[in-house]
């Protein structure tokens, strides 16, 4: 659960905030009353959030592209067969590896070269 800190308290509590972040506390909400104006997080937590947001944005862009190769039921079914074949490789893979496999599958479904 994030700790809420008043804006006026941040300068006097900075040493405590910094120590708490190093100890693994991930977030502090900074604001007045119910209005949150900033969030303080550890660098590791921030890096994970940014990486997650980038992966999600990449997936949204890829999935928004038209499936031009799927002009018939046969090509549609072939695309899903490709996804099933590649999905066997998923066990134990990192998100980056999964992204590469999804890109490969989408490129194959679309009849294009992988990016």
């Amino acid at each position: 659960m994030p700790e809420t800190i008043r804006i006026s308290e941040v300068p006097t509590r900075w040493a405590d905030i910094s120590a708490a972040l190093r100890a693994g506390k991930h977030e502090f909400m900074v604001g007045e009353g119910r209005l949150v104006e900033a969030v303080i997080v550890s660098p590791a937590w921030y890096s994970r959030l940014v990486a997650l947001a980038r992966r999600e944005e990449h997936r949204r862009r890829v999935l928004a592209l038209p499936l031009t190769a799927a002009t018939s039921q046969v090509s549609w079914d072939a695309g899903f067969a490709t996804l099933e074949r590649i999905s066997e490789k998923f066990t134990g893979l990192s998100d980056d590896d999964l992204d590469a496999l999804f890109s490969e599958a989408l490129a194959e479904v679309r009849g294009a070269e992988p990016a």
Side-chain angles (χ1 to χ4, degrees):
M1 184 89 182
E3 181 179 342
T4 302
I5 301 171
R6 294 174 52 91
I7 294 171
S8 60
E9 295 175 5
V10 172
T12 58
R13 295 206 40 215
W14 187 250
D16 295 336
I17 294 167
S18 181
L21 292 172
R22 281 193 304 276
K25 185 167 177 92
H26 295 296
E27 59 191 287
F28 291 87
M29 309 296 266
V30 180
E32 296 295 332
R34 293 184 181 191
L35 178 63
V36 175
E37 297 187 30
V39 177
I40 302 172
V41 296
S42 70
W45 189 252
Y46 174 78
S47 295
R48 285 192 297 270
L49 291 173
V50 168
L52 178 63
R54 286 183 180 151
R55 280 194 308 269
E56 180 61 26
E57 180 60 29
H58 176 73
R59 285 185 179 128
R60 285 183 184 182
R61 276 183 285 150
V62 168
L63 293 174
L65 296 173
L67 293 175
T68 57
T71 57
S72 70
Q73 186 64 42
V74 172
S75 62
W76 183 259
D77 292 341
F80 277 101
T82 299
L83 289 172
E84 288 176 12
R85 178 179 52 80
I86 292 173
S87 70
E88 296 171 0
K89 301 177 186 179
F90 288 176
T91 305
L93 295 179
S94 70
D95 285 342
D96 290 337
D97 292 335
L98 287 172
D99 282 342
L101 286 172
F102 283 128
S103 294
E104 176 187 334
L106 288 169
E108 190 173 324
V109 167
R110 294 182 178 125
E113 294 295 320

